[in-house]
Amino acid sequence: MVRVETKENSWSFEQIYDEYKTPIYNYVYHLVGDREQADDLTQDTFLKAFRALPKMDANLKLSAWLYRIATNTAYDALRRRKLIAWLPWQDLDHEPADVDSADPQEIYGTTEIVRAALRRMPQQYRAALLLYTQEGFSYSEIAHTLNIAESGVKMYLSRARQSFREQYRSLEQGGGAK
Amino acid sequence: MNCERVRDLLSAYLDDQLSAPERQSVTTHLASCADCRGILAEYHHFDALLSQLPRISPSPTLHTKIFTSPRYLKLEFELERGLQRPQVVAEITHNQDISFAILLLLIGFSTLLLLRHQRHHKHTQ
Ligand SMILES: [Zn+2]
């Protein structure tokens, strides 16, 4: 088993994976909204982290650092996806058209509406909202993870909540409107 | 403060991230505006929904996929070889120095032998 040692810490890759696999996978999944892609991106995140870890200094905050790698990895993938989004069937950022029909509450439970609203809101605000609500990060931890100022976090969360609310309400009321 | 300004501050108000005067202005506005109060209540509700969203775990095969991937095996090989640890790298260089010295000695020795052999030939001719 490979152990990585810095001045104050000793980690094994297996331990890191076991401890963070679910939070990181769950986070990446909610950023990209696709399980298969979340698999690939989680793998990429951990492999990038394992490779960089021996070079990191002793006071590394492992958790925030892993989320930072995961965020960058997922956003890179989302940007690539946007480049090929001119193919209508690959436009995964939007829900399929059948959401328009019937009462969405009957098709979707609250959990699905929440997930759909997350997918529909602007990508750049999604991470901040997930880190705050799902991971319980503070403003300063989010700032550190997303590499932005704390005032930026305030703005991101405000925009995130406004657009999440819009998307949630439109899904609740019939789903069609963007 | 008007509704538009208040709505920009509601998120930070919910998280208690406003300065005291801003906070006071928003509180005053909320006392008389049912619409903004409604939005604040929704934000609060959405935060709860998001925090209670079921966690999704990776499939157990992801572990195998990662730890048997060529990228992982390459990294493991490098780390076990100590290619990333300075003291081991120094050891390798040290070993190379010794090998080089031995090689030089061998070349020198065989040249000497060859020369003696040639001289011996000249004598016997
Ligand atoms: Zn108002």
Side-chain angles (χ1 to χ4, degrees):
Chain A
M1 196 200 278
V2 177
R3 294 196 76 81
V4 173
E5 302 190 26
T6 56
K7 270 180 209 135
E8 284 162 23
N9 298 301
S10 166
W11 290 294
S12 95
F13 292 153
E14 300 259 355
Q15 276 171 358
I16 294 173
Y17 179 75
D18 280 342
E19 193 173 336
Y20 291 102
K21 64 183 176 199
T22 300
I24 292 291
Y25 180 84
N26 178 70
Y27 173 63
V28 168
Y29 169 77
H30 285 113
L31 278 180
V32 300
D34 177 84
R35 288 208 67 151
E36 206 177 316
Q37 197 176 20
D39 260 26
D40 292 344
L41 296 174
T42 304
Q43 172 170 4
D44 204 21
T45 298
F46 279 105
L47 288 171
K48 280 178 187 165
F50 293 163
R51 176 153 290 277
L53 195 55
K55 293 165 219 150
M56 301 310 288
D57 65 292
N59 41 35
L60 174 71
K61 284 201 177 102
L62 188 59
S63 169
W65 183 69
L66 282 174
Y67 279 97
R68 189 167 175 168
I69 298 174
T71 309
N72 293 338
T73 305
Y75 275 152
D76 281 348
L78 287 171
R79 266 194 293 275
R80 279 198 302 276
R81 187 198 280 180
K82 229 172 192 170
L83 290 178
I84 54 166
W86 55 274
L87 296 170
W89 58 88
Q90 285 184 325
D91 195 356
L92 299 168
D93 261 353
H94 305 117
E95 280 300 284
D98 63 0
V99 184
D100 288 290
S101 60
D103 176 10
Q105 292 275 17
E106 283 174 20
I107 309 166
Y108 285 158
T110 306
T111 300
E112 280 73 21
I113 297 179
V114 172
R115 291 212 173 108
L118 274 174
R119 277 198 293 275
R120 286 182 173 206
M121 66 182 281
Q123 290 165 10
Q124 70 264 40
Y125 306 134
R126 217 178 282 160
L129 189 62
L130 287 170
L131 290 171
Y132 190 76
T133 58
Q134 283 230 298
E135 314 305 327
F137 277 31
S138 67
Y139 273 44
S140 86
E141 284 169 325
I142 296 171
H144 181 76
T145 304
L146 300 183
N147 202 19
I148 54 176
E150 274 192 49
S151 55
V153 177
K154 208 188 268 190
M155 189 270 276
Y156 272 43
L157 278 174
S158 176
R159 301 256 168 93
R161 282 176 169 133
Q162 287 179 35
S163 54
F164 180 88
R165 175 174 173 267
E166 269 169 41
Q167 300 304 337
Y168 189 93
R169 290 191 124 204
S170 98
L171 281 160
E172 232 180 8
Q173 284 157 13
K178 264 226 71 187
Chain B
M1 251 187 212
N2 61 18
C3 290
E4 203 184 334
R5 176 82 187 112
V6 168
R7 281 172 204 189
D8 280 340
L9 297 177
L10 276 183
S11 166
Y13 180 83
L14 181 66
D15 299 337
D16 201 11
Q17 297 285 331
L18 292 180
S19 66
E22 278 177 325
R23 188 173 178 78
Q24 189 49 54
S25 305
V26 175
T27 309
T28 310
H29 179 89
L30 288 174
S32 62
C33 180
D35 286 350
C36 288
R37 270 204 311 274
I39 293 172
L40 182 66
E42 277 184 87
Y43 282 179
H44 195 68
H45 175 61
F46 292 144
D47 270 21
L49 286 181
L50 282 161
S51 69
Q52 289 155 17
L53 202 60
R55 298 279 168 146
I56 297 183
S57 303
S59 72
T61 56
L62 189 61
H63 178 276
T64 320
K65 220 173 131 187
I66 291 176
F67 288 94
T68 60
S69 68
R71 270 170 80 190
Y72 182 77
L73 296 174
K74 183 169 177 274
L75 174 65
E76 194 180 46
F77 176 79
E78 286 176 12
L79 286 170
E80 276 170 2
R81 279 299 181 100
L83 295 183
Q84 302 216 10
R85 280 185 226 135
Q87 76 272 24
V88 188
V89 173
E91 230 168 77
I92 292 170
T93 340
H94 187 59
N95 282 346
Q96 279 173 340
D97 283 349
I98 292 173
S99 319
F100 189 63
I102 290 172
L103 193 73
L104 271 180
L105 267 173
L106 274 173
I107 291 169
F109 193 63
S110 34
T111 317
L112 209 76
L113 273 177
L114 205 74
L115 283 173
R116 279 188 62 172
H117 187 69
Q118 277 176 347
R119 218 176 288 161
H120 184 67
H121 255 271
K122 273 181 194 162
H123 269 283
T124 48
Q125 269 172 353

